[in-house]
Amino acid sequence: MENNTIQSVLQEHRTFKPSAEFSQNSRFPDPASIEALYKHASTDHTGFWAELANTQINWHKPFTKTLDDTQAPYYEWFNDGELNVSYNCLDRHLETQGDKTAIIFEGEQGDTQHISYRTLYERVCQFANGLKDLGVVSGDRVVLYMPMIPEAVVAMQACARIGAIHSVVFGGFSAESLRDRIEDADAKIVITADGGHRGGKVVPLKEATDKALSMGCDCIEHSIVFTRTKHDINMQSGRDILWDDVIKDKATTCEPTWVNSEHPLFLLYTSGSTGKPKGIQHSSGGYLLGAITTMQWVFDIQDKDIFWCTADVGWITGHTYVAYGPLACGSTMLMFEGAPTVPDAGRFWKMCEAHKVTIFYTAPTAIRALMKLGDDFPKKYDLSSLRLLGTVGEPINPEAWMWYHTVIGQEKCPIVDTWWQTETGAHMLAPMPSQTSAKPGSCTRALPGIDAIVVDEAGNEITTADQGGYLVVRKPWPSMLRNIWGDAERYNETYWAKFDGKYYLAGDSARKDSDGYFWIMGRIDDVLNVSGHRLGTMEVESALVAHERVAEAAVVGSPHDIKGESIFAYVVLKGDRPSAEDADAITQTLRTWVGEQIGAIAKPDNIRFADNLPKTRSGKIMRRLLRTIAKGDEITSDTSTLENESILLQLQGKE
Ligand code: WTA
């Protein structure tokens, strides 16, 4: 935290204005038009959103009520309106641009596809008809566990088309994690593939699905399997059906199911402070509106753009800026199956050149990893098609920002640093790139209609520049989460209770500088940010203690050059502390174990064994000390409240 503050103070002196060329050619060339948006939003919050909802969405039945706050904090938006999200992403473009490319796909092995809006529409309809024939009806949950291939988008859109609620589980999560999510969502169908190509290997998705289903998941009636890698898999007759059989002989049209604006579009599980991930529940109308407006405001999306968001559909970024936002705006997007370093660190840049990408959106962790591998890779390619760059998932350090700006953006592309969350549905704090000057490391200002402030412990707004506090949102906004699936109480507890329902609590600390720019300082809860992915320390701890040899475990984050944070685990085994030799073997065992319990991203980078954990007399683990030790810093703070001070030497690896 201290380091961050010092760094940020230094950064404040550097600002980067958008070029005149960018601004003149943007959707908002005139500063007055942006000012007007902000003014409208601040003088008439609901009127502002109502006007956008009326102009940007095709409603089957128009809404008459914009915001219903009678059940706050269970807010509802446009709740007597009816629409279909898939209709808004596909059908409404058919007449004017049916032949336009919707998806350019590139597989890791180099195979490509160009899918027009009409073809995508037909594939979505066929698959939707297939789901219907399997008995899927509006409101049913369908879990996806798929590679980054067009069929993932087809399946999501097909669910939306018939009112089924999808829940995508990232393909890097383990069978155990998949089972937990399937069971929590009480899903009827799971859609997977034989495998996907990732990092030069085949990810065996069907095998993991089989394992998940063998450990429970009684709610599942069928699994649908897309053939991607063509390796041998087991098919359980009656239960498992090939994708091709699901769509066989199905009509290529399918009347959309009109749903209420508040009808859940999807659930997406994310980590919180407890061991159990929460199913974040999003709506149809409000969510769609957030996706569309931010595509326009932050990405400045225009007809000729080739938009590339590198996020996997297993994360919120892959929902809003792969599966829904670009299609709702009728744009062309690039989708990539593989890893950024296959076959080498030039892959992203080669693809930018080959597909003439104009807008590129990725995570700081990817930028840092590629930066480390040198300028020679990007320099081999013509990146002149790029006009706008973006980042998401964690604060970007100035060094990586400058590299992105000079080497990738060639000093002509604005960089949009976008702060948002699974819960917010769409960008919240981010620049309007034609007008807002960037400062490396700051996500700049709140977007129009987003009333974000920083408050102190008592909930009072902090107006002193550079003083940190809780980042909160004062007014509800359309794309906000609606609930936690099956746990309305936890929703209230987690996001609203701290400030008596007055504010949405983001879970991040932040400060505003003297220009009113936001600087995110980190999480206030026990959530780690590893390579831009959220992971609860409790989740990793629960996985560790579930191992038969582990008595106790504490997990903290430690700063990491590329990943942002790495996972540092302190483990107390049942029985004696292992010898140095044994420790290596047990470390491997536990890493593999956590990988199986949660997924590879959750494997601890470091495990240190001790006879005990540092605890206060009341038994509370002093995580602050564990963080200091993980960083390799000397302990300078008072440790006299520790019950077992002598344990510190062991934890530091000095004994
Ligand atoms: C962090 C990802 C700084 C933050 C869209 C937030 C960021 C969490 C930024 C949400 C950013 C996201 N600058 N920190 N631009 N974007 N974060 O739900 O801590 O996977 O609360 O959503 O990532 O992660 P999530």
Side-chain angles (χ1 to χ4, degrees):
M1 199 92 115
E2 280 153 29
N3 280 344
N4 271 347
T5 316
I6 295 164
Q7 263 190 5
S8 307
V9 171
L10 290 176
Q11 292 154 26
E12 285 172 3
H13 301 296
R14 281 190 285 188
T15 58
F16 294 81
K17 271 203 176 123
S19 69
E21 194 199 342
F22 180 89
S23 298
Q24 279 156 17
N25 294 314
S26 85
R27 289 179 78 102
F28 299 95
D30 176 12
S33 62
I34 294 179
E35 279 319 306
L37 274 180
Y38 274 104
K39 183 136 188 262
H40 187 188
S42 63
T43 50
D44 178 11
H45 187 67
T46 50
F48 170 76
W49 285 116
E51 186 183 314
L52 286 167
N54 278 318
T55 52
Q56 302 300 327
I57 291 177
N58 287 54
W59 295 91
H60 179 66
K61 175 172 166 259
F63 61 92
T64 60
K65 186 155 185 151
T66 305
L67 171 66
D68 185 343
D69 57 6
T70 48
Q71 306 292 322
Y74 307 90
Y75 293 98
E76 299 195 341
W77 285 87
F78 322 120
N79 68 1
D80 60 351
E82 283 178 14
L83 79 164
N84 180 282
V85 171
S86 150
Y87 178 91
N88 276 274
C89 292
L90 300 169
D91 310 40
R92 68 166 167 172
H93 306 308
L94 292 185
E95 231 172 74
T96 50
Q97 51 170 41
D99 296 328
K100 182 173 174 173
T101 301
I103 302 179
I104 305 171
F105 170 71
E106 187 168 315
E108 191 173 79
Q109 298 180 331
D111 47 314
T112 57
Q113 289 179 50
H114 285 243
I115 304 169
S116 69
Y117 269 90
R118 184 163 297 104
T119 305
L120 184 62
Y121 163 84
E122 289 173 358
R123 289 195 194 172
V124 167
C125 287
Q126 267 193 322
F127 192 68
N129 286 326
L131 287 177
K132 274 194 193 169
D133 279 5
L134 289 174
V136 179
V137 298
S138 184
D140 280 348
R141 273 80 58 209
V142 173
V143 164
L144 273 72
Y145 186 60
M146 297 192 76
M148 263 302 275
I149 54 175
E151 284 70 21
V153 174
V154 169
M156 290 162 86
Q157 289 282 345
C159 287
R161 195 158 190 91
I162 61 173
I165 304 168
H166 61 69
S167 179
V168 185
V169 177
F170 173 56
F173 279 127
S174 66
E176 277 81 354
S177 292
L178 176 62
R179 177 208 46 201
D180 293 348
R181 287 156 174 76
I182 287 175
E183 290 188 341
D184 191 83
D186 195 19
K188 212 177 200 177
I189 301 268
V190 53
I191 306 172
T192 187
D194 47 357
H197 299 289
R198 180 89 196 170
K201 296 187 200 121
V202 168
V203 185
L205 296 166
K206 174 65 166 77
E207 208 181 297
T209 307
D210 288 346
K211 192 170 166 205
L213 299 188
S214 73
M215 295 184 296
C217 304
D218 295 342
C219 47
I220 291 289
E221 292 173 11
H222 293 290
S223 81
I224 300 175
V225 187
F226 182 77
T227 307
R228 170 71 184 148
T229 51
K230 304 192 176 78
H231 67 284
D232 282 345
I233 49 167
N234 288 317
M235 292 290 285
Q236 184 175 311
S237 90
R239 185 193 71 185
D240 301 346
I241 314 169
L242 290 174
W243 177 289
D244 285 347
D245 292 332
V246 172
I247 59 171
K248 199 165 170 206
D249 302 328
K250 294 293 182 294
T252 52
T253 56
C254 171
E255 190 58 28
T257 300
W258 305 109
V259 297
N260 184 277
S261 178
E262 280 298 313
H263 182 79
L265 179 64
F266 65 87
L267 311 178
L268 184 59
Y269 285 82
T270 191
S271 299
S273 321
T274 73
K276 190 172 173 264
K278 9 178 210 193
I280 302 299
Q281 180 185 323
H282 276 287
S283 71
S284 297
Y287 172 79
L288 180 66
L289 186 60
I292 295 173
T293 51
T294 52
M295 284 296 300
Q296 297 174 345
W297 295 339
V298 181
F299 290 131
D300 189 48
I301 194 76
Q302 295 179 38
D303 191 36
K304 288 202 184 103
D305 278 315
I306 309 286
F307 177 82
W308 186 14
C309 164
T310 68
D312 192 280
V313 288
W315 310 110
I316 190 67
T317 310
H319 281 60
T320 310
Y321 302 109
V322 178
Y324 291 109
L327 297 175
C329 293
S331 47
T332 299
M333 68 158 154
L334 175 61
M335 204 177 164
F336 176 46
E337 178 188 35
T341 47
V342 175
D344 62 41
R347 185 63 183 263
F348 275 0
W349 321 127
K350 185 175 182 197
M351 287 179 63
C352 283
E353 175 186 283
H355 302 293
K356 304 212 164 21
V357 172
T358 59
I359 303 172
F360 179 73
Y361 188 42
T362 198
T365 185
I367 299 168
R368 286 192 297 266
L370 295 175
M371 176 177 77
K372 278 223 152 166
L373 296 168
D375 295 1
D376 290 350
F377 289 106
K379 289 209 164 125
K380 267 195 245 167
Y381 302 101
D382 176 8
L383 298 177
S384 60
S385 59
L386 290 170
R387 69 179 189 93
L388 181 68
L389 302 174
T391 69
V392 58
E394 52 179 317
I396 181 165
N397 51 310
E399 191 195 356
W401 196 99
M402 288 308 298
W403 185 79
Y404 203 29
H405 172 68
T406 50
V407 180
I408 306 305
Q410 310 188 343
E411 297 182 15
K412 70 178 173 67
C413 303
I415 297 179
V416 290
D417 179 340
T418 60
W419 177 88
W420 60 297
Q421 310 176 291
T422 305
E423 291 87 341
T424 69
H427 301 154
M428 301 289 279
L429 310 177
M432 302 280 273
S434 65
Q435 302 300 332
T436 320
S437 292
K439 297 186 190 188
S442 166
C443 49
T444 76
R445 296 169 63 191
L447 289 169
I450 302 301
D451 188 19
I453 54 170
V454 179
V455 299
D456 63 18
E457 195 63 44
N460 298 316
E461 181 170 5
I462 295 175
T463 47
T464 315
D466 296 321
Q467 191 177 320
Y470 298 95
L471 177 61
V472 299
V473 187
R474 221 166 5 186
K475 296 196 190 107
W477 66 102
S479 69
M480 67 196 294
L481 78 165
R482 294 304 193 264
N483 215 331
I484 292 177
W485 184 253
D487 203 345
E489 190 42 45
R490 189 174 173 196
Y491 164 79
N492 186 43
E493 269 299 306
T494 312
Y495 303 110
W496 303 93
K498 182 163 177 74
F499 296 110
D500 299 327
K502 266 199 328 204
Y503 311 133
Y504 164 80
L505 179 75
D508 281 341
S509 59
R511 62 193 174 79
K512 276 170 97 170
D513 69 16
S514 51
D515 293 329
Y517 277 41
F518 285 89
W519 299 81
I520 304 296
M521 295 161 76
R523 296 287 304 189
I524 54 167
D525 51 13
D526 293 323
V527 172
L528 304 179
N529 194 327
V530 182
S531 303
H533 301 314
R534 275 166 71 167
L535 264 181
T537 52
M538 279 280 288
E539 266 173 275
V540 185
E541 286 167 12
S542 315
L544 283 168
V545 295
H547 191 273
E548 57 182 12
R549 294 209 50 191
V550 176
E552 240 189 321
V555 169
V556 297
S558 172
H560 187 278
D561 271 4
I562 290 175
K563 299 191 202 181
E565 267 186 301
S566 67
I567 304 175
F568 204 114
Y570 299 87
V571 171
V572 180
L573 294 180
K574 290 175 186 157
D576 290 339
R577 187 154 66 107
S579 66
E581 269 163 32
D582 289 350
D584 284 347
I586 302 172
T587 298
Q588 279 322 314
T589 307
L590 292 180
R591 278 172 47 82
T592 309
W593 170 260
V594 174
E596 283 165 13
Q597 297 295 305
I598 305 176
I601 51 168
K603 285 185 184 176
D605 299 82
N606 282 292
I607 299 185
R608 195 161 286 166
F609 299 96
D611 292 323
N612 209 336
L613 297 172
K615 289 181 190 152
T616 61
R617 286 189 181 90
S618 58
K620 210 172 163 252
I621 296 172
M622 291 190 69
R623 290 171 180 278
R624 179 172 48 83
L625 288 178
L626 295 177
R627 276 187 216 110
T628 308
I629 296 170
K631 259 170 104 177
D633 287 354
E634 281 307 313
I635 298 173
T636 51
S637 57
D638 181 18
T639 56
S640 60
T641 53
L642 272 188
E643 190 193 44
N644 49 352
E645 223 181 327
S646 58
I647 205 72
L648 292 178
L649 281 177
Q650 263 187 24
L651 292 164
Q652 287 168 304
K654 290 184 184 165
E655 191 181 79

